[in-house]
Amino acid sequence: MDSAAGAGDVEMRPDDLPDGLVIADELGHIRCFNAEAGRLTGSVPTAMLGRRIQEALPLEHTDGRRWWLVTDPYQGSAGRSGEPEHHLLLPGGQEVLVTTRYLRTTPGGPLHRLVLGLRDAGTRHRDERSDAELIATVAHELRSPLTSVKGFTATMLDKWERFTDDQKRLMLQTVDSDADRVTRLITELLDVSRIDSGRLEIRRQPVRLAEAVGRHVETLVNGGLPADRFTVRVAADLPGVWADPDKIDQVLGNLLENAVRHGAGTVTIELDRVPPGDHHQEGTAVTVSDEGPGIPEEAMHLVFTRFWRGSDRSGTGLGLYIVKGIVEAHGGTVTAGRGARGGARFRFTLPAGTPAFMV
């Protein structure tokens, strides 16, 4: 392979690969240096061909040790097949993730080809920061209810006889409410984990969206909100929807809670038929809008990301991220925008149809 494009002794073009690829021959001279490797290192791929790999890629460990001296692929142990992924530095401090493979013509024989895979370390750092923020958020959200639970239970155990029945009932109700709060947080964390790993399980069955919306509104009204705070509009002849009723309840609950907590005025829930089109199939759209301050334009693209909590910074910031994951797992879409009266407007669609096993 004697060109940066790799048009030689391989079937796939190295430039088509998403990761950086560098291949050196038995003498350590570079024979392949693809486009992504050039982007990561800031080098011109064609200018790297023929150069010694140790000179072209003077990699160092983060503690300053020279990586080539530590690994010594050409003179080191012939029993090795490669090196696991290492976090290394290029000149100037550019961070890259490097994986190495040693190709030999015979087991234990001299090195025939040295293959390096290069990846941008930025994504790894972003994931690590996101995980750290998740841990910090969880710790913060758990501390308050657990402190309350511990305080009330310790007080009741220590001074049980001193409290009236009404006082005991009030403290137990508080403990019960805080336990529900912890349960909801744990459920959110499990959902985030399943969404991130693509393992969110959907158990489809017929779902009556209008009835589901009605139940949620009734629950909120029974919880103390005025009935005239909500307006529900349901179009005629909505198509049937096959979905996971528990997951759809979670979506509706998150969106309505978001509208009540962060919005103002009337919360309007609309159910409409989505006609089939060139880029989507027939389905049902659910729109939840309020009359509050709405979402700032500059934050609109962040709404469905982890930890976005709006201006008041309350909650975990995971609810809308979970909404997006659940809707997309059903094959639907969800969008955020500004409502007709200035508040936030969320709209999600679910495709109509019957599962294949029912056809």
Side-chain angles (χ1 to χ4, degrees), residues 10 37 127 276 314 354:
V10 295
D127 290 343
S314 62
T354 304

Side-chain angles (χ1 to χ4, degrees), residues 328-339:
E328 291 183 347
H330 280 83
T333 60
V334 59
T335 58
R338 186 170 292 278

Side-chain angles (χ1 to χ4, degrees), residues 51-346:
R51 294 186 59 184
R52 288 186 59 80
I53 191 167
Q54 295 93 329
E55 299 171 357
L57 294 175
L59 298 164
E60 292 185 353
H61 285 279
T62 53
D63 60 7
R65 292 177 299 155
R66 295 176 61 187
W67 187 67
W68 293 108
L69 293 179
V70 175
T71 58
D72 196 10
Y74 287 94
Q75 302 300 323
S77 171
R80 298 173 299 171
S81 60
E83 301 287 342
E85 187 177 73
H86 285 284
H87 187 171
L88 302 175
L89 301 177
L90 288 165
Q94 171 71 26
E95 302 179 38
V96 289
L97 301 173
V98 181
T99 306
T100 313
R101 288 291 175 267
Y102 301 153
L103 305 182
R104 308 176 190 277
T105 53
T106 59
L111 197 60
H112 176 65
R113 284 287 188 269
L114 176 62
V115 181
L116 268 64
L118 308 180
R119 295 174 54 207
D120 189 351
T123 300
R124 175 74 58 83
H125 285 322
R126 287 191 292 272
D127 290 343
E128 290 173 350
R129 285 195 297 269
S130 180
D131 290 342
E133 188 172 355
L134 178 59
I135 292 171
T137 298
V138 171
H140 175 76
E141 292 295 322
L142 284 175
R143 184 180 295 113
S144 177
L146 290 179
T147 299
S148 172
V149 168
K150 178 63 177 177
F152 278 120
T153 54
T155 300
M156 286 189 291
L157 287 171
D158 187 47
K159 303 176 181 178
W160 179 263
E161 301 298 333
R162 300 185 186 182
F163 296 112
T164 66
D165 288 345
D166 288 340
Q167 289 173 325
K168 293 174 183 176
R169 184 178 297 105
L170 177 61
M171 286 189 284
L172 287 173
Q173 287 173 341
T174 303
V175 169
D176 184 64
S177 176
D178 285 333
D180 286 342
R181 181 176 167 188
V182 171
T183 300
R184 285 196 300 271
L185 177 59
I186 292 172
T187 300
E188 284 186 344
L189 294 174
L190 290 173
D191 286 335
V192 168
S193 174
R194 290 167 182 149
I195 290 169
D196 287 346
S197 62
R199 294 185 293 107
L200 188 66
E201 188 174 352
I202 303 298
R203 302 178 184 273
R204 295 181 186 271
Q205 56 184 280
V207 173
R208 298 181 182 275
L209 286 174
E211 292 181 7
V213 169
R215 287 197 307 272
H216 280 277
V217 170
E218 183 179 1
T219 299
L220 291 169
V221 171
N222 290 339
L225 292 173
D228 60 5
R229 178 83 191 272
F230 302 94
T231 297
V232 180
R233 299 172 184 155
V234 181
D237 301 324
L238 292 177
V241 171
W242 280 76
D244 187 319
D246 292 335
K247 295 290 189 294
I248 298 306
D249 274 344
Q250 195 173 353
V251 169
L252 291 171
N254 282 350
L255 292 180
L256 287 172
E257 181 181 350
N258 185 76
V260 169
R261 178 184 296 179
H262 304 292
T266 301
V267 176
T268 302
I269 306 103
E270 300 170 279
L271 284 75
D272 298 294
R273 175 177 173 269
V274 178
D278 294 336
H279 303 291
H280 58 80
Q281 67 185 87
E282 182 185 28
T284 297
V286 180
T287 304
V288 178
S289 56
D290 62 71
E291 300 173 345
I295 304 167
E297 192 65 33
E298 63 274 13
M300 200 70 73
H301 68 290
L302 299 173
V303 168
F304 295 109
T305 60
R306 281 187 184 187
F307 311 121
W308 186 82
R309 289 176 286 183
S311 58
D312 62 2
R313 310 300 295 170
S314 62
T316 62
L318 297 175
L320 293 177
Y321 178 81
I322 292 171
V323 164
K324 184 175 186 290
I326 291 175
V327 171
E328 291 183 347
H330 280 83
T333 60
V334 59
T335 58
R338 186 170 292 278
R341 299 187 179 183
R345 176 181 182 271
F346 291 92

